[in-house]
Amino acid sequence: NNNNNNNNNDNNRFEPRENVKLKRYTYRIRYRNKITNAKEPPICNSGINTIRHVMYDTPDIWICPWSLDEHLMKKACDALTGTFDFTAFVHRSERKKSKDNNNVIQLQKFSFVKRTLDGDDIENDDDENDNGTAKNDEKQSSTVRTVKFTLEAKGFRRYMVRNLIGFVIDISRGVKSLSDIPIALNVSKEEEEEGYDTIPNESTTIQN
């Protein structure tokens, strides 16, 4: 009887890798909002030299050294949400282990919430002009924001979350474009070795 009970307990044991239904990662950054109109003073594109931690900050927030275009940020997150081959965003050492690794993952959620330094939520604006910039650009200012990214999937690969966040930041600061997204999601075997660099991990938390 004891043996049967032990076997039943083993069968009912929770295995995180097999039984998990959803994993949620959050990543927090602080940055200066990038304004695309020419009326803004040059400081709107300055970065880490004008942003500091405040006394009530927790350690898990990264001070981003670049101003970011929030409109591009939202478009990038939306474009990366879905079922794709995320091989290009997996850690290099993992890509080298086996070329047959399956990195097709359903990223169920990739969103972010913006807040002022006072903690007030800022709504995302989906309206845009013909040139792709946000319609409310003229109403915005180059203020400092705190953003919490949230990513949800049944599972992630090593460094995948940090690489995705870094990729979105590169698009938001203008060193990559939205047209790079389908290229990254359809890398060839020869291109897999390049991948994307990670950003600091102190801003990441995980929930099962």
Side-chain angles (χ1 to χ4, degrees):
N1 289 335
N2 289 334
N3 289 335
N4 290 335
N5 290 334
N6 290 334
N7 290 334
N8 289 333
N9 290 335
D10 289 340
N11 292 334
N12 295 328
R13 183 176 298 169
F14 177 74
E15 294 292 342
R17 292 181 180 271
E18 299 295 331
N19 303 126
V20 66
K21 293 183 177 180
L22 184 74
K23 289 185 178 180
R24 177 185 296 121
Y25 275 89
T26 60
Y27 201 103
R28 296 202 308 151
I29 68 170
R30 179 167 298 147
Y31 64 95
R32 186 173 292 279
N33 181 38
K34 186 174 186 178
I35 304 301
T36 56
N37 65 61
K39 296 180 181 179
E40 283 292 317
I43 194 174
C44 72
N45 288 325
S46 62
I48 200 168
N49 59 309
T50 59
I51 303 176
R52 296 290 185 269
H53 281 286
V54 294
M55 63 179 182
Y56 52 80
D57 275 345
T58 55
D60 63 341
I61 184 167
W62 179 53
I63 303 298
C64 178
W66 310 286
S67 57
L68 305 178
D69 186 327
E70 297 169 345
H71 190 59
L72 289 175
M73 187 186 299
K74 184 177 188 307
K75 281 195 165 188
C77 289
D78 289 345
L80 288 163
T81 303
T83 304
F84 302 107
D85 184 346
F86 289 101
T87 297
F89 300 97
V90 178
H91 191 272
R92 288 182 175 87
S93 64
E94 295 297 313
R95 291 196 299 268
K96 291 177 181 178
K97 284 182 180 178
S98 173
K99 295 297 183 180
D100 298 324
N101 279 345
N102 182 10
N103 295 313
V104 175
I105 293 172
Q106 182 185 10
L107 187 56
Q108 300 177 29
K109 183 176 184 178
F110 192 177
S111 63
F112 61 88
V113 176
K114 299 181 293 185
R115 289 189 173 91
T116 65
L117 287 181
D118 295 327
D120 298 323
D121 288 353
I122 305 170
E123 292 186 4
N124 290 325
D125 190 356
D126 295 330
D127 294 333
E128 63 180 38
N129 298 307
D130 293 336
N131 62 358
T133 59
K135 278 189 175 181
N136 66 346
D137 252 2
E138 65 277 3
K139 300 178 183 179
Q140 294 178 350
S141 61
S142 56
T143 54
V144 175
R145 319 279 209 218
T146 298
V147 157
K148 182 175 78 171
F149 290 95
T150 300
L151 295 85
E152 294 180 353
K154 185 175 181 179
F156 295 92
R157 302 295 184 262
R158 186 182 178 192
Y159 285 10
M160 176 179 160
V161 172
R162 278 190 274 165
N163 286 336
L164 283 169
I165 297 294
F167 187 59
V168 168
I169 288 175
D170 280 348
I171 291 175
S172 304
R173 70 187 181 103
V175 297
K176 293 188 183 298
S177 68
L178 292 170
S179 61
D180 289 319
I181 294 176
I183 298 174
L185 296 174
N186 292 278
V187 295
S188 66
K189 294 298 183 183
E190 291 74 20
E191 294 169 322
E192 284 181 5
E193 293 301 324
E194 183 177 353
Y196 294 94
D197 292 329
T198 61
I199 55 178
N201 68 347
E202 62 266 20
S203 304
T204 306
T205 58
I206 181 173
Q207 298 172 325
N208 289 332

